[in-house]
């Protein structure tokens, strides 16, 4: 007998028919003799709808109350799955974040999981009941509801698996594994049989939303066995593994893109030591993450321009903070562009190969795609481009690095 955590995403939970399909998969694992905890997302589109209500109510709103609103989507699906399981003869009950409880920090809307009390849930599972846990939500020490950031149900699933000391954590979604790039954009994307934690972490952090970045970090730290697979087919999925587990290392693992980017340029700031710190201090104080940074060569006048990116969802706040700090930074103007996209190439093999960046720049240049900013790490190169070229850039790079799979189309659910 194994103890397993099964996580089902939004598309898999979208409506009663699909929840019945999920229940049937859970039943199969229970009948195979496994002890099962299920972590569920809200129905596809529901969290967006709830976020929309909060924005409509007030553009700048209390994130503690935002959490109360957006956590409700998962409450609905956890109850519905428990009902559906019971209806097919599988004993089940829901365990909301505050009931387990899943303790988190009080950073509302981006809370981090602390610990999970498993005493009661384990005792209940030992009686043969399936535990259904809403993903994405937790509770602070003083009893307030929190959420973990968009895509956070993956992290809930890995955290629950770690706390329950589960034998594995199966992430069921609407594609049948991790591909060399988003198979919705590149039908010739290749499914990976396995991917290392390091590569998956890098792919997730630059936009491959198939797994939330924090879930990969946590799985790596807690040594949770993670597998990504489809709710809709029985195709073999992708295992996320340690580097030592002997995966064949390709030069390039994959390509990801992130449209949640906005570019800010601060023009004509004095080119003196400390000026960049003056720009980033107010942003950091406001908890706004700065990603790509380019400082232009100083103009003759002893002034320079600094360009950087922030999450598009934070652009208004970033502009507000920089406007308030105008006297300290001493810039002449602020420029914001929000129709940009970051495209990244990731691969552990880059550590030991030259010329990887050149292939990228040439492939984009040949298609007339202009690069606005560049950043690199040991195993990643990212470029900022105009958003309208996103699909083209991803396809062109996928071909340029020889990643196209012509044998079979990707397994993608509608
Ligand atoms: P869920 O609701 O199940 O959590 P998500 O929408 O969060 O699903 O993540 C699955 C989606 O991730 C896929 O539908 C796919 O479009 C996208 N995706 C982006 N990059 C990749 C990749 N490299 N491999 C697989 N899917 C990817
Ligand atoms: N429902 C949440 C979201 O859409 C969490 C998740 O699905 O992982 O972001
Ligand atoms: Mg997701």
């Amino acid at each position: 007998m194994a103890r397993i955590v099964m996580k089902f995403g939004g598309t898999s939970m979208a409506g009663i028919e699909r929840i019945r399909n999920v229940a049937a998969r859970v039943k199969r694992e229970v009948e195979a003799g496994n002890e099962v905890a299920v972590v569920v997302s809200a129905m596809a589109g529901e969290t967006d709808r709830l976020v929309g209500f909060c924005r409509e109510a007030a553009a700048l709103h209390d994130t503690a109350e935002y959490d109360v609103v957006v956590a409700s989507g998962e409450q609905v699906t956890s109850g519905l799955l428990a009902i559906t399981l019971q209806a097919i003869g599988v004993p089940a009950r829901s365990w909301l974040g505050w009931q387990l409880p899943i303790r988190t920090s009080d950073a509302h809307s981006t809370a981090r999981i602390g610990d999970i009390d498993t005493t009661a849930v384990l005792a209940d599972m030992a009686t043969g009941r399936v535990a259904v846990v809403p993903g994405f939500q937790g509770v602070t020490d003083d009893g307030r509801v929190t959420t973990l950031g968009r895509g956070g149900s993956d992290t809930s699933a890995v955290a629950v698996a770690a706390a329950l000391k589960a034998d594995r954590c199966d992430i069921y979604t609407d594609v049948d594994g991790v591909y060399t790039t988003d198979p919705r954009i590149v039908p010739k994307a290749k499914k990976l049989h396995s991917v290392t934690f390091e590569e998956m972490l890098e792919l997730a952090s630059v936009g491959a939303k198939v797994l939330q970045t924090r879930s990969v970090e946590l799985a790596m730290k807690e040594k949770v066995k993670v597998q990504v697979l489809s709710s809709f087919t029985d195709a073999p999925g992708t295992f996320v593994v340690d580097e030592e587990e002997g995966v064949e290392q390709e030069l390039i693992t994959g390509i990801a893109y992130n449209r949640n980017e906005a570019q800010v340029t601060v023009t004509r700031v004095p080119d003196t030591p400390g000026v960049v710190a003056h720009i980033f201090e107010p942003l950091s104080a406001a908890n706004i993450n700065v990603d790509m940074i380019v400082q232009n060569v100083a103009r003759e006048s002893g002034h320079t321009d600094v360009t950087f990116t922030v999450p598009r969802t934070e652009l208004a706040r970033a502009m507000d903070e920089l406007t308030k700090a105008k006297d300290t930074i001493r810039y002449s103007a602020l420029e914001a562009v929000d129709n940009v996209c970051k495209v990244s190439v990731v691969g552990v093999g880059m550590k030991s190969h030259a010329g990887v960046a050149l292939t990228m720049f040439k492939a984009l240049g040949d298609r007339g795609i202009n690069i606005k900013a560049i950043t690199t790490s040991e195993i990643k190169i990212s470029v900022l481009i105009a958003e309208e070229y996103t699909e083209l850039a991803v396809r062109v790079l996928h071909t340029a690095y020889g990643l196209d799979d012509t044998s079979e189309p990707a397994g993608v659910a509608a």
Side-chain angles (χ1 to χ4, degrees), residues 266-271 275 295-299 302-306:
V266 186
T267 67
R268 283 187 64 82
V269 284
D271 187 26
V275 65
Q295 181 173 356
N296 295 335
V297 176
R299 300 176 187 218
H303 287 81
T304 184
D305 294 347
V306 178

Side-chain angles (χ1 to χ4, degrees), residues 219-230:
M220 193 155 126
K221 180 163 155 262
E222 301 285 341
K223 301 204 178 317
V224 177
K225 261 198 175 149
V226 173
Q227 186 185 180
V228 176
L229 61 181
S230 168

Side-chain angles (χ1 to χ4, degrees), residues 41-42 47 74 136 150-153:
S41 287
T47 309
E74 273 75 7
F136 188 47
R150 298 306 305 270
S153 296

Side-chain angles (χ1 to χ4, degrees), residues 7 9-10 41 150-154 171 173 209-212:
K7 181 259 170 177
S41 287
R150 298 306 305 270
S153 296
D154 297 329
I171 308 277
T173 182
K209 67 171 183 161
V210 61
L211 286 177
Q212 199 202 32

Side-chain angles (χ1 to χ4, degrees), residues 146-209:
T146 51
T147 63
L148 310 177
R150 298 306 305 270
S153 296
D154 297 329
T155 304
S156 308
V158 172
V160 167
L164 293 178
K165 300 193 171 38
D167 296 285
R168 49 176 225 267
C169 179
D170 294 341
I171 308 277
Y172 288 88
T173 182
D174 54 8
V175 289
D176 57 7
V178 178
Y179 280 75
T180 45
T181 192
D182 187 344
R184 292 184 193 281
I185 288 206
V186 182
K188 286 190 234 162
K190 216 183 301 180
K191 186 161 71 180
L192 303 169
H193 170 259
S194 60
V195 59
T196 66
F197 281 115
E198 196 186 9
E199 289 168 325
M200 192 62 237
L201 196 58
E202 202 80 37
L203 275 174
S205 71
V206 291
K209 67 171 183 161

Side-chain angles (χ1 to χ4, degrees), residues 264 283 288 308 310 314-323 334:
V264 178
L283 300 177
I288 298 170
F308 53 90
V310 295
E314 302 283 11
L315 179 60
R317 276 199 324 124
M319 294 299 277
D320 188 41
E321 294 297 333
L322 292 169
T323 306
L334 278 181

Side-chain angles (χ1 to χ4, degrees), residues 223-254:
K223 301 204 178 317
V224 177
K225 261 198 175 149
V226 173
Q227 186 185 180
V228 176
L229 61 181
S230 168
S231 305
F232 302 97
T233 71
D234 289 324
T238 302
F239 291 94
V240 189
V241 298
D242 275 326
E243 218 167 317
E244 303 87 66
E245 285 178 56
V247 230
E248 212 178 298
Q249 300 253 294
E250 299 288 343
L251 175 60
I252 301 300
T253 314

